[in-house]
Amino acid sequence: MLRLIAYSDYLCPWCYNASVRLHRIEAEFAGQVEIEWRTFLLRPQPDPGRTLEKFRRYTESWRRPAEEADAGTFQVWQGDAGPPSHSVPPHLVAKAAARVSRDAFRSIHDRLLHAYFAENRDITDAATLEAIWLEAGLAPEDLARAGDADVLRQVIDEHNDALAVDINGVPSVRMDGRDGFVIGAQPIAVYRRWVQRALDGKI
């Protein structure tokens, strides 16, 4: 089994596109490839100076990733939710889901990205995160794991591990046990060729 380790942030539009493409790669190479998602914190701490109006203007930039092939679904921010505080809350919920099962993580991972970029929901808001958890059909009591100290430690450790190997932007993907990263939301053909060469023993 070829394992791809993807460093990503739920507040990153390019990570959304990479997620869509990598899930398709995982499906194309079913039984040969699996994706492990790890944390990278683009906004590790809250920014009290970030207003909703500034955030709305920023989301105009989502039009660019939306125009790419094999992209996620994007909508320039509407309504009065947000702005999102920082990157940590959705990662805690995703890690809590991973402790339930791989399928639970996949459901929450996809829902977080879609809720934020397509539905304009603030995925740093506790009530919104609880709603997404329940929409995924997960047991309410399992959401409490997001508050565990070891879950927070895992989030921080994964981010620090990325920094230690000189990752300074996301998405970044590497093959387990190998050096080097594929950086940025690459076209699906690039991921496909990279994976096929690895499976053929050419890299």
Side-chain angles (χ1 to χ4, degrees), residues 140-181:
E141 60 272 19
D142 286 333
L143 179 56
R145 300 184 189 193
D148 290 351
D150 60 330
V151 172
L152 176 59
R153 174 51 52 194
Q154 182 183 1
V155 165
I156 294 171
D157 285 349
E158 287 183 1
H159 175 72
N160 288 337
D161 288 346
L163 296 178
V165 293
D166 295 326
I167 293 176
N168 53 25
V170 285
S172 291
V173 187
R174 70 177 175 88
M175 291 180 180
D176 191 26
R178 307 185 191 196
D179 295 330
F181 289 84

mmCIF file of all heavy atoms in Angstrom, residues 140-181:
data_model
loop_
_atom_site.group_PDB
_atom_site.id
_atom_site.type_symbol
_atom_site.label_atom_id
_atom_site.label_comp_id
_atom_site.label_asym_id
_atom_site.label_seq_id
_atom_site.Cartn_x
_atom_site.Cartn_y
_atom_site.Cartn_z
ATOM 1 N N PRO A 140 -23.107 12.086 19.439
ATOM 2 C CA PRO A 140 -22.817 13.377 20.069
ATOM 3 C C PRO A 140 -21.727 13.301 21.133
ATOM 4 O O PRO A 140 -20.905 14.207 21.245
ATOM 5 C CB PRO A 140 -24.164 13.784 20.675
ATOM 6 C CG PRO A 140 -25.189 13.051 19.875
ATOM 7 C CD PRO A 140 -24.540 11.753 19.480
ATOM 8 N N GLU A 141 -21.716 12.216 21.896
ATOM 9 C CA GLU A 141 -20.752 12.119 22.999
ATOM 10 C C GLU A 141 -19.309 12.009 22.496
ATOM 11 O O GLU A 141 -18.367 12.383 23.204
ATOM 12 C CB GLU A 141 -21.074 10.930 23.905
ATOM 13 C CG GLU A 141 -21.067 9.572 23.235
ATOM 14 C CD GLU A 141 -22.408 9.171 22.630
ATOM 15 O OE1 GLU A 141 -23.256 10.061 22.404
ATOM 16 O OE2 GLU A 141 -22.601 7.958 22.394
ATOM 17 N N ASP A 142 -19.122 11.534 21.269
ATOM 18 C CA ASP A 142 -17.758 11.388 20.746
ATOM 19 C C ASP A 142 -17.130 12.727 20.381
ATOM 20 O O ASP A 142 -15.907 12.833 20.268
ATOM 21 C CB ASP A 142 -17.750 10.468 19.526
ATOM 22 C CG ASP A 142 -17.931 9.001 19.901
ATOM 23 O OD1 ASP A 142 -17.563 8.641 21.036
ATOM 24 O OD2 ASP A 142 -18.442 8.233 19.072
ATOM 25 N N LEU A 143 -17.951 13.751 20.191
ATOM 26 C CA LEU A 143 -17.409 15.069 19.870
ATOM 27 C C LEU A 143 -16.568 15.614 21.019
ATOM 28 O O LEU A 143 -15.654 16.435 20.797
ATOM 29 C CB LEU A 143 -18.546 16.040 19.545
ATOM 30 C CG LEU A 143 -18.159 17.481 19.206
ATOM 31 C CD1 LEU A 143 -17.181 17.531 18.034
ATOM 32 C CD2 LEU A 143 -19.416 18.309 18.907
ATOM 33 N N ALA A 144 -16.821 15.142 22.234
ATOM 34 C CA ALA A 144 -16.059 15.612 23.390
ATOM 35 C C ALA A 144 -14.571 15.326 23.260
ATOM 36 O O ALA A 144 -13.741 15.995 23.885
ATOM 37 C CB ALA A 144 -16.608 14.973 24.668
ATOM 38 N N ARG A 145 -14.211 14.360 22.427
ATOM 39 C CA ARG A 145 -12.798 14.048 22.226
ATOM 40 C C ARG A 145 -12.035 15.245 21.661
ATOM 41 O O ARG A 145 -10.818 15.332 21.831
ATOM 42 C CB ARG A 145 -12.650 12.863 21.277
ATOM 43 C CG ARG A 145 -13.297 11.575 21.758
ATOM 44 C CD ARG A 145 -13.030 10.430 20.809
ATOM 45 N NE ARG A 145 -13.812 9.249 21.157
ATOM 46 C CZ ARG A 145 -13.592 8.041 20.658
ATOM 47 N NH1 ARG A 145 -12.602 7.861 19.793
ATOM 48 N NH2 ARG A 145 -14.341 7.013 21.008
ATOM 49 N N ALA A 146 -12.734 16.141 20.982
ATOM 50 C CA ALA A 146 -12.072 17.323 20.423
ATOM 51 C C ALA A 146 -11.474 18.196 21.514
ATOM 52 O O ALA A 146 -10.581 19.007 21.241
ATOM 53 C CB ALA A 146 -13.052 18.127 19.580
ATOM 54 N N GLY A 147 -11.939 18.035 22.744
ATOM 55 C CA GLY A 147 -11.409 18.806 23.856
ATOM 56 C C GLY A 147 -10.307 18.119 24.625
ATOM 57 O O GLY A 147 -9.774 18.684 25.592
ATOM 58 N N ASP A 148 -9.922 16.922 24.209
ATOM 59 C CA ASP A 148 -8.879 16.183 24.913
ATOM 60 C C ASP A 148 -7.511 16.819 24.694
ATOM 61 O O ASP A 148 -7.178 17.242 23.580
ATOM 62 C CB ASP A 148 -8.829 14.732 24.435
ATOM 63 C CG ASP A 148 -10.046 13.924 24.876
ATOM 64 O OD1 ASP A 148 -10.841 14.449 25.687
ATOM 65 O OD2 ASP A 148 -10.206 12.781 24.392
ATOM 66 N N ALA A 149 -6.713 16.833 25.738
ATOM 67 C CA ALA A 149 -5.388 17.437 25.648
ATOM 68 C C ALA A 149 -4.505 16.719 24.633
ATOM 69 O O ALA A 149 -3.697 17.352 23.936
ATOM 70 C CB ALA A 149 -4.719 17.427 27.020
ATOM 71 N N ASP A 150 -4.649 15.398 24.515
ATOM 72 C CA ASP A 150 -3.789 14.674 23.575
ATOM 73 C C ASP A 150 -4.181 14.933 22.127
ATOM 74 O O ASP A 150 -3.344 14.829 21.220
ATOM 75 C CB ASP A 150 -3.760 13.179 23.885
ATOM 76 C CG ASP A 150 -5.126 12.533 23.801
ATOM 77 O OD1 ASP A 150 -6.130 13.206 24.068
ATOM 78 O OD2 ASP A 150 -5.188 11.332 23.474
ATOM 79 N N VAL A 151 -5.444 15.305 21.891
ATOM 80 C CA VAL A 151 -5.860 15.671 20.537
ATOM 81 C C VAL A 151 -5.238 17.012 20.151
ATOM 82 O O VAL A 151 -4.720 17.186 19.042
ATOM 83 C CB VAL A 151 -7.398 15.714 20.424
ATOM 84 C CG1 VAL A 151 -7.835 16.292 19.085
ATOM 85 C CG2 VAL A 151 -7.969 14.312 20.604
ATOM 86 N N LEU A 152 -5.271 17.962 21.084
ATOM 87 C CA LEU A 152 -4.612 19.241 20.834
ATOM 88 C C LEU A 152 -3.118 19.038 20.620
ATOM 89 O O LEU A 152 -2.526 19.650 19.715
ATOM 90 C CB LEU A 152 -4.848 20.196 22.003
ATOM 91 C CG LEU A 152 -4.132 21.548 21.917
ATOM 92 C CD1 LEU A 152 -4.548 22.325 20.673
ATOM 93 C CD2 LEU A 152 -4.398 22.369 23.177
ATOM 94 N N ARG A 153 -2.515 18.168 21.391
ATOM 95 C CA ARG A 153 -1.089 17.904 21.235
ATOM 96 C C ARG A 153 -0.796 17.305 19.861
ATOM 97 O O ARG A 153 0.199 17.658 19.223
ATOM 98 C CB ARG A 153 -0.622 16.955 22.360
ATOM 99 C CG ARG A 153 0.827 16.480 22.250
ATOM 100 C CD ARG A 153 1.823 17.596 22.053
ATOM 101 N NE ARG A 153 1.692 18.649 23.049
ATOM 102 C CZ ARG A 153 2.247 19.834 22.952
ATOM 103 N NH1 ARG A 153 2.956 20.151 21.875
ATOM 104 N NH2 ARG A 153 2.084 20.732 23.900
ATOM 105 N N GLN A 154 -1.652 16.425 19.392
ATOM 106 C CA GLN A 154 -1.454 15.841 18.068
ATOM 107 C C GLN A 154 -1.503 16.914 16.981
ATOM 108 O O GLN A 154 -0.669 16.927 16.068
ATOM 109 C CB GLN A 154 -2.512 14.776 17.786
ATOM 110 C CG GLN A 154 -2.328 14.105 16.425
ATOM 111 C CD GLN A 154 -3.415 13.099 16.111
ATOM 112 O OE1 GLN A 154 -4.347 12.894 16.894
ATOM 113 N NE2 GLN A 154 -3.308 12.457 14.954
ATOM 114 N N VAL A 155 -2.466 17.823 17.087
ATOM 115 C CA VAL A 155 -2.587 18.912 16.115
ATOM 116 C C VAL A 155 -1.316 19.764 16.100
ATOM 117 O O VAL A 155 -0.749 20.063 15.040
ATOM 118 C CB VAL A 155 -3.828 19.771 16.427
ATOM 119 C CG1 VAL A 155 -3.790 21.103 15.680
ATOM 120 C CG2 VAL A 155 -5.105 19.011 16.085
ATOM 121 N N ILE A 156 -0.863 20.141 17.265
ATOM 122 C CA ILE A 156 0.331 20.984 17.362
ATOM 123 C C ILE A 156 1.576 20.233 16.889
ATOM 124 O O ILE A 156 2.409 20.779 16.153
ATOM 125 C CB ILE A 156 0.515 21.482 18.807
ATOM 126 C CG1 ILE A 156 -0.639 22.427 19.182
ATOM 127 C CG2 ILE A 156 1.851 22.194 18.976
ATOM 128 C CD1 ILE A 156 -0.672 22.803 20.640
ATOM 129 N N ASP A 157 1.692 18.969 17.279
ATOM 130 C CA ASP A 157 2.867 18.185 16.889
ATOM 131 C C ASP A 157 2.937 18.008 15.375
ATOM 132 O O ASP A 157 4.031 18.099 14.784
ATOM 133 C CB ASP A 157 2.849 16.814 17.562
ATOM 134 C CG ASP A 157 3.227 16.875 19.038
ATOM 135 O OD1 ASP A 157 3.711 17.937 19.488
ATOM 136 O OD2 ASP A 157 3.032 15.857 19.734
ATOM 137 N N GLU A 158 1.804 17.755 14.749
ATOM 138 C CA GLU A 158 1.820 17.579 13.298
ATOM 139 C C GLU A 158 2.233 18.872 12.599
ATOM 140 O O GLU A 158 2.995 18.856 11.618
ATOM 141 C CB GLU A 158 0.449 17.110 12.807
ATOM 142 C CG GLU A 158 0.151 15.666 13.169
ATOM 143 C CD GLU A 158 -1.172 15.156 12.642
ATOM 144 O OE1 GLU A 158 -1.883 15.923 11.957
ATOM 145 O OE2 GLU A 158 -1.509 13.990 12.921
ATOM 146 N N HIS A 159 1.731 19.984 13.094
ATOM 147 C CA HIS A 159 2.123 21.277 12.518
ATOM 148 C C HIS A 159 3.627 21.506 12.704
ATOM 149 O O HIS A 159 4.335 21.892 11.752
ATOM 150 C CB HIS A 159 1.332 22.394 13.190
ATOM 151 C CG HIS A 159 1.746 23.766 12.749
ATOM 152 N ND1 HIS A 159 1.449 24.265 11.507
ATOM 153 C CD2 HIS A 159 2.449 24.737 13.381
ATOM 154 C CE1 HIS A 159 1.939 25.499 11.391
ATOM 155 N NE2 HIS A 159 2.550 25.797 12.514
ATOM 156 N N ASN A 160 4.132 21.246 13.889
ATOM 157 C CA ASN A 160 5.557 21.443 14.152
ATOM 158 C C ASN A 160 6.429 20.483 13.346
ATOM 159 O O ASN A 160 7.527 20.847 12.910
ATOM 160 C CB ASN A 160 5.843 21.305 15.647
ATOM 161 C CG ASN A 160 5.319 22.482 16.453
ATOM 162 O OD1 ASN A 160 5.135 23.568 15.913
ATOM 163 N ND2 ASN A 160 5.070 22.263 17.733
ATOM 164 N N ASP A 161 5.947 19.266 13.153
ATOM 165 C CA ASP A 161 6.682 18.307 12.327
ATOM 166 C C ASP A 161 6.802 18.816 10.897
ATOM 167 O O ASP A 161 7.852 18.637 10.246
ATOM 168 C CB ASP A 161 5.981 16.947 12.326
ATOM 169 C CG ASP A 161 6.124 16.210 13.655
ATOM 170 O OD1 ASP A 161 6.977 16.606 14.484
ATOM 171 O OD2 ASP A 161 5.369 15.239 13.863
ATOM 172 N N ALA A 162 5.746 19.439 10.401
ATOM 173 C CA ALA A 162 5.786 19.996 9.045
ATOM 174 C C ALA A 162 6.836 21.100 8.961
ATOM 175 O O ALA A 162 7.635 21.156 8.016
ATOM 176 C CB ALA A 162 4.412 20.522 8.648
ATOM 177 N N LEU A 163 6.840 21.975 9.945
ATOM 178 C CA LEU A 163 7.822 23.059 9.958
ATOM 179 C C LEU A 163 9.244 22.514 10.031
ATOM 180 O O LEU A 163 10.163 23.069 9.420
ATOM 181 C CB LEU A 163 7.559 23.989 11.136
ATOM 182 C CG LEU A 163 6.225 24.748 11.132
ATOM 183 C CD1 LEU A 163 6.108 25.589 12.396
ATOM 184 C CD2 LEU A 163 6.086 25.625 9.888
ATOM 185 N N ALA A 164 9.417 21.417 10.764
ATOM 186 C CA ALA A 164 10.749 20.847 10.953
ATOM 187 C C ALA A 164 11.345 20.303 9.665
ATOM 188 O O ALA A 164 12.579 20.211 9.530
ATOM 189 C CB ALA A 164 10.705 19.748 12.012
ATOM 190 N N VAL A 165 10.477 19.937 8.716
ATOM 191 C CA VAL A 165 10.984 19.442 7.424
ATOM 192 C C VAL A 165 10.817 20.498 6.336
ATOM 193 O O VAL A 165 10.778 20.205 5.152
ATOM 194 C CB VAL A 165 10.308 18.119 7.018
ATOM 195 C CG1 VAL A 165 10.719 17.005 7.969
ATOM 196 C CG2 VAL A 165 8.789 18.258 6.951
ATOM 197 N N ASP A 166 10.709 21.763 6.796
ATOM 198 C CA ASP A 166 10.719 22.925 5.902
ATOM 199 C C ASP A 166 9.470 23.071 5.038
ATOM 200 O O ASP A 166 9.520 23.671 3.964
ATOM 201 C CB ASP A 166 11.966 22.921 5.007
ATOM 202 C CG ASP A 166 13.247 23.080 5.810
ATOM 203 O OD1 ASP A 166 13.213 23.794 6.838
ATOM 204 O OD2 ASP A 166 14.263 22.488 5.430
ATOM 205 N N ILE A 167 8.351 22.550 5.513
ATOM 206 C CA ILE A 167 7.088 22.858 4.846
ATOM 207 C C ILE A 167 6.634 24.221 5.341
ATOM 208 O O ILE A 167 6.481 24.440 6.538
ATOM 209 C CB ILE A 167 6.015 21.800 5.166
ATOM 210 C CG1 ILE A 167 6.403 20.461 4.557
ATOM 211 C CG2 ILE A 167 4.649 22.237 4.644
ATOM 212 C CD1 ILE A 167 5.453 19.338 4.904
ATOM 213 N N ASN A 168 6.448 25.149 4.428
ATOM 214 C CA ASN A 168 5.983 26.486 4.825
ATOM 215 C C ASN A 168 4.746 26.920 4.065
ATOM 216 O O ASN A 168 4.380 28.088 4.061
ATOM 217 C CB ASN A 168 7.103 27.524 4.658
ATOM 218 C CG ASN A 168 7.702 27.505 3.266
ATOM 219 O OD1 ASN A 168 7.055 27.097 2.311
ATOM 220 N ND2 ASN A 168 8.947 27.928 3.174
ATOM 221 N N GLY A 169 4.118 25.969 3.407
ATOM 222 C CA GLY A 169 2.877 26.251 2.703
ATOM 223 C C GLY A 169 2.129 24.969 2.419
ATOM 224 O O GLY A 169 2.721 23.873 2.421
ATOM 225 N N VAL A 170 0.853 25.085 2.197
ATOM 226 C CA VAL A 170 0.013 23.919 1.936
ATOM 227 C C VAL A 170 -0.911 24.199 0.751
ATOM 228 O O VAL A 170 -1.184 25.360 0.441
ATOM 229 C CB VAL A 170 -0.823 23.545 3.183
ATOM 230 C CG1 VAL A 170 0.039 22.875 4.223
ATOM 231 C CG2 VAL A 170 -1.537 24.747 3.778
ATOM 232 N N PRO A 171 -1.360 23.093 0.128
ATOM 233 C CA PRO A 171 -1.120 21.688 0.463
ATOM 234 C C PRO A 171 0.289 21.239 0.092
ATOM 235 O O PRO A 171 0.855 21.706 -0.874
ATOM 236 C CB PRO A 171 -2.168 20.955 -0.380
ATOM 237 C CG PRO A 171 -2.350 21.839 -1.586
ATOM 238 C CD PRO A 171 -2.254 23.239 -1.055
ATOM 239 N N SER A 172 0.796 20.317 0.891
ATOM 240 C CA SER A 172 2.066 19.657 0.604
ATOM 241 C C SER A 172 1.866 18.161 0.823
ATOM 242 O O SER A 172 1.294 17.755 1.838
ATOM 243 C CB SER A 172 3.174 20.175 1.513
ATOM 244 O OG SER A 172 3.508 21.507 1.211
ATOM 245 N N VAL A 173 2.336 17.370 -0.116
ATOM 246 C CA VAL A 173 2.103 15.927 -0.069
ATOM 247 C C VAL A 173 3.419 15.197 -0.275
ATOM 248 O O VAL A 173 4.218 15.572 -1.143
ATOM 249 C CB VAL A 173 1.102 15.484 -1.170
ATOM 250 C CG1 VAL A 173 0.743 14.009 -0.994
ATOM 251 C CG2 VAL A 173 -0.155 16.345 -1.150
ATOM 252 N N ARG A 174 3.647 14.177 0.531
ATOM 253 C CA ARG A 174 4.819 13.330 0.344
ATOM 254 C C ARG A 174 4.407 11.869 0.412
ATOM 255 O O ARG A 174 3.319 11.535 0.903
ATOM 256 C CB ARG A 174 5.886 13.619 1.394
ATOM 257 C CG ARG A 174 5.548 13.190 2.802
ATOM 258 C CD ARG A 174 6.729 13.460 3.734
ATOM 259 N NE ARG A 174 6.423 13.186 5.124
ATOM 260 C CZ ARG A 174 6.565 11.994 5.709
ATOM 261 N NH1 ARG A 174 6.976 10.967 4.991
ATOM 262 N NH2 ARG A 174 6.287 11.835 6.990
ATOM 263 N N MET A 175 5.265 11.029 -0.108
ATOM 264 C CA MET A 175 5.048 9.593 0.005
ATOM 265 C C MET A 175 5.727 9.100 1.268
ATOM 266 O O MET A 175 6.882 9.457 1.530
ATOM 267 C CB MET A 175 5.615 8.874 -1.216
ATOM 268 C CG MET A 175 4.846 9.155 -2.488
ATOM 269 S SD MET A 175 5.543 8.302 -3.931
ATOM 270 C CE MET A 175 4.402 8.872 -5.198
ATOM 271 N N ASP A 176 5.026 8.311 2.031
ATOM 272 C CA ASP A 176 5.564 7.813 3.290
ATOM 273 C C ASP A 176 6.872 7.067 3.052
ATOM 274 O O ASP A 176 6.983 6.220 2.160
ATOM 275 C CB ASP A 176 4.540 6.872 3.939
ATOM 276 C CG ASP A 176 4.906 6.511 5.364
ATOM 277 O OD1 ASP A 176 5.615 7.303 6.012
ATOM 278 O OD2 ASP A 176 4.477 5.442 5.832
ATOM 279 N N GLY A 177 7.894 7.430 3.840
ATOM 280 C CA GLY A 177 9.175 6.768 3.743
ATOM 281 C C GLY A 177 10.097 7.327 2.683
ATOM 282 O O GLY A 177 11.200 6.807 2.488
ATOM 283 N N ARG A 178 9.652 8.405 2.019
ATOM 284 C CA ARG A 178 10.473 8.990 0.963
ATOM 285 C C ARG A 178 10.654 10.480 1.213
ATOM 286 O O ARG A 178 9.797 11.129 1.795
ATOM 287 C CB ARG A 178 9.838 8.765 -0.410
ATOM 288 C CG ARG A 178 9.512 7.307 -0.670
ATOM 289 C CD ARG A 178 9.012 7.065 -2.058
ATOM 290 N NE ARG A 178 8.467 5.721 -2.169
ATOM 291 C CZ ARG A 178 8.236 5.099 -3.312
ATOM 292 N NH1 ARG A 178 8.525 5.703 -4.453
ATOM 293 N NH2 ARG A 178 7.727 3.887 -3.330
ATOM 294 N N ASP A 179 11.752 11.000 0.739
ATOM 295 C CA ASP A 179 12.021 12.422 0.873
ATOM 296 C C ASP A 179 11.309 13.205 -0.225
ATOM 297 O O ASP A 179 10.936 12.652 -1.257
ATOM 298 C CB ASP A 179 13.528 12.694 0.784
ATOM 299 C CG ASP A 179 14.296 12.085 1.946
ATOM 300 O OD1 ASP A 179 13.700 11.974 3.041
ATOM 301 O OD2 ASP A 179 15.471 11.726 1.752
ATOM 302 N N GLY A 180 11.170 14.502 0.018
ATOM 303 C CA GLY A 180 10.610 15.380 -0.998
ATOM 304 C C GLY A 180 9.106 15.504 -0.906
ATOM 305 O O GLY A 180 8.418 14.591 -0.427
ATOM 306 N N PHE A 181 8.607 16.645 -1.363
ATOM 307 C CA PHE A 181 7.187 16.951 -1.305
ATOM 308 C C PHE A 181 6.699 17.434 -2.660
ATOM 309 O O PHE A 181 7.449 18.056 -3.416
ATOM 310 C CB PHE A 181 6.928 18.059 -0.281
ATOM 311 C CG PHE A 181 7.113 17.625 1.143
ATOM 312 C CD1 PHE A 181 8.369 17.615 1.725
ATOM 313 C CD2 PHE A 181 6.030 17.217 1.890
ATOM 314 C CE1 PHE A 181 8.550 17.220 3.028
ATOM 315 C CE2 PHE A 181 6.194 16.815 3.207
ATOM 316 C CZ PHE A 181 7.453 16.817 3.781
#
